[in-house]
Amino acid sequence: MFRLQENQTNVRTEILAGITTFLTMVYIVIVNPAILSEAGLPFEQVFMATVIAAVIGTLIMALAANYPIAIAPGMGMNAYFVTEVIQQDVSYSVILGTVFLAGVLFVILSLTRLREVLITAIPNSLKYGITSGIGLFIAFLGLRMSGVIVSSESTLVTLGDLGSPETFLTIIGLFITLGLIAKRVTGALFVGMLITAIIGMFTGQLSFEGGYVSAPPAPVFWDMDIAGVFSNGLYTVIFAFLLVTIFDTTGTMIGVAEQAGFIRKDGSLPRARAALMADATATTAGAMFGTSPSSAYIESSSGVAVGGRTGLTTIVVAILFIISIFFSPIVGAVSGLPAITAPVLIIVGCFMMEGLARVDWKTFDEAFPAFIIILTMPLTSSIATGIAIGFITYPLLKLFSGKGSQVHWILYMFGAIFIIQMIFFPGH
């Protein structure tokens, strides 16, 4: 079924690869509920929605595309979800509605050529600027959650009290995890969280009063307010979720596929449509149960590195995610202590800055749009605002420098829409 011989692998290697991939990405089961609970979403609902979205997306990737690429709710989009609930002053149900609509649009785009047109039309400087801006955005969230950075009347933000127990534990956890990554330990983020949790137990900051194992929480279905999306005019939020999910997934898939040797000589990826449908379906299903958009995980490269080459790897990942639903008391206790989850946010933020090396910084009309996106996302706490400003400045700078013909018409269209939106509908 998985064509193991053709892919030069065997069952033992695929199982080992699946376990490796799971260990490197299982942190999302803890971090996602910790972040989304700030928006008012019940922990148990997000926990189950995270696992359901991961299992659905990963199984489709395994059975339809036969790739060792795992799917789960993406980092960055969860943080953006929270800030939109706060900034728009709406219930989380409305923002879940935007995720659902973005997922439906992603499914439609994945069935047509529009997705390819969108990916090729948008220049690399904007793509890498968006990803890097999200990296700074979630790193800043981690620093803020843990008290390393606090608000200040005179300077907006300043250094917090590093001697407070929770902030001090965050710093300890951060350096432990950094050391594990430097030593190339498999599942360094998860192991780092585990060690930090153990320290938290000894210092009295973490306790497991609810026990360790329990029956899975009941999932919540269709807790969305789609009508509220339209009454609040949250079209930019839908676009931001859609655009970032497409970039994130496509970039990750290409990166992992290149590492595994799946890319053809002409640069195409076999079964790309099935692979993208996995992510689009996971995003749509995840919204129905209560979580932010899903994405392909770059952590899948760890499984590929130990020999994973087929969907059997991702079947193993899906099975392990299913097993994790019986450990909700542990996940609940751990995700309730920001000192354990904050180091992951800070480090993942660093990983997302990698694309900046591919921005042409010597060409000003390429460099400035990337720069302004990176600057505005964390400072405005809005991924949508960063995207809008990038899409406005890029075509304008190209026109001013006499290179307007190099810009795809889609960028001019989006630029005009964003100008209208920012003038007449600020905050949306």
Side-chain angles (χ1 to χ4, degrees):
M1 180 178 176
F2 296 106
R3 302 196 294 277
L4 298 180
Q5 283 186 321
E6 185 184 319
N7 286 285
Q8 298 176 329
T9 183
N10 56 55
V11 173
R12 181 182 173 278
T13 301
E14 294 292 297
I15 291 173
L16 178 63
I19 294 168
T20 304
T21 296
F22 177 76
L23 286 175
T24 58
M25 65 182 287
V26 66
Y27 67 85
I28 194 63
V29 173
I30 298 169
V31 175
N32 206 43
I35 294 174
L36 291 184
S37 59
E38 288 195 18
L41 271 154
F43 158 77
E44 291 187 340
Q45 180 180 346
V46 183
F47 172 69
M48 287 302 291
T50 301
V51 174
I52 289 167
V55 171
I56 289 173
T58 303
L59 284 178
I60 294 172
M61 182 68 77
L63 301 172
N66 195 27
Y67 283 140
I69 302 172
I71 305 279
M75 292 293 290
M77 290 290 91
N78 43 18
Y80 177 51
F81 186 106
V82 174
T83 57
E84 283 305 308
V85 169
I86 295 165
Q87 288 187 350
Q88 305 292 349
D89 193 24
V90 294
S91 74
Y92 66 77
S93 300
V94 175
I95 306 299
L96 277 177
T98 65
V99 176
F100 176 75
L101 292 171
V104 171
L105 287 172
F106 194 7
V107 170
I108 294 167
L109 284 173
S110 298
L111 293 170
T112 66
R113 289 210 48 197
L114 281 171
R115 178 191 57 81
E116 293 168 33
V117 172
L118 199 60
I119 290 168
T120 53
I122 296 169
N124 286 338
S125 56
L126 292 185
K127 290 176 190 169
Y128 297 133
I130 289 167
T131 305
S132 303
I134 294 170
L136 282 183
F137 180 72
I138 63 171
F140 181 69
L141 177 72
L143 292 167
R144 203 181 71 214
M145 277 171 54
S146 58
V148 175
I149 296 292
V150 294
S151 59
S152 163
E153 283 188 16
S154 55
T155 60
L156 292 180
V157 291
T158 189
L159 193 66
D161 178 12
L162 302 186
S164 73
E166 193 170 292
T167 308
F168 187 67
L169 180 59
T170 302
I171 295 166
I172 295 293
L174 178 62
F175 279 100
I176 286 169
T177 312
L178 289 172
L180 292 169
I181 292 169
K183 289 278 189 184
R184 300 183 185 278
V185 173
T186 299
L189 292 175
F190 179 66
V191 175
M193 289 173 73
L194 200 63
I195 295 170
T196 310
I198 291 168
I199 296 170
M201 287 173 64
F202 281 111
T203 57
Q205 293 169 262
L206 178 66
S207 63
F208 296 99
E209 293 171 2
Y212 301 96
V213 180
S214 73
V220 179
F221 185 71
W222 204 265
D223 189 14
M224 293 186 290
D225 180 7
I226 294 176
V229 177
F230 298 104
S231 62
N232 287 282
L234 302 179
Y235 307 111
T236 314
V237 180
I238 297 171
F239 182 73
F241 278 135
L242 174 65
L243 201 63
V244 175
T245 308
I246 289 173
F247 289 162
D248 204 12
T249 295
T250 307
T252 300
M253 282 185 188
I254 290 169
V256 177
E258 279 180 346
Q259 181 190 359
F262 297 140
I263 301 293
R264 291 178 178 144
K265 289 182 180 179
D266 63 357
S268 66
L269 176 65
R271 306 182 299 284
R273 183 170 290 182
L276 281 158
M277 279 300 293
D279 187 47
T281 308
T283 294
T284 312
M288 292 179 187
F289 287 95
T291 186
S292 46
S294 295
S295 175
Y297 261 61
I298 194 64
E299 283 84 353
S300 305
S301 59
S302 62
V304 170
V306 297
R309 288 295 181 275
T310 74
L312 184 55
T313 293
T314 29
I315 289 284
V316 173
V317 174
I319 290 168
L320 291 171
F321 267 116
I322 292 168
I323 292 170
S324 73
I325 64 176
F326 296 99
F327 296 94
S328 63
I330 295 175
V331 175
V334 170
S335 64
L337 182 60
I340 299 172
T341 53
V344 174
L345 295 175
I346 297 163
I347 293 167
V348 171
C350 172
F351 291 158
M352 294 177 77
M353 305 297 286
E354 181 189 358
L356 287 183
R358 298 177 216 173
V359 175
D360 183 3
W361 293 105
K362 292 181 181 177
T363 307
F364 186 74
D365 53 20
E366 292 285 335
F368 186 81
F371 163 75
I372 201 68
I373 291 170
I374 297 161
L375 184 68
T376 51
M377 277 190 187
L379 293 183
T380 62
S381 290
S382 174
I383 289 170
T385 300
I387 290 172
I389 293 173
F391 272 73
I392 291 167
T393 53
Y394 187 88
L396 283 176
L397 282 175
K398 287 295 182 182
L399 281 171
F400 295 152
S401 57
K403 303 174 188 172
S405 60
Q406 297 177 7
V407 180
H408 198 283
W409 65 266
I410 286 179
L411 261 72
Y412 287 116
M413 182 184 75
F414 282 141
I417 291 169
F418 283 131
I419 289 171
I420 294 165
Q421 178 256 321
M422 294 193 78
I423 294 172
F424 297 105
F425 307 101
H428 295 303

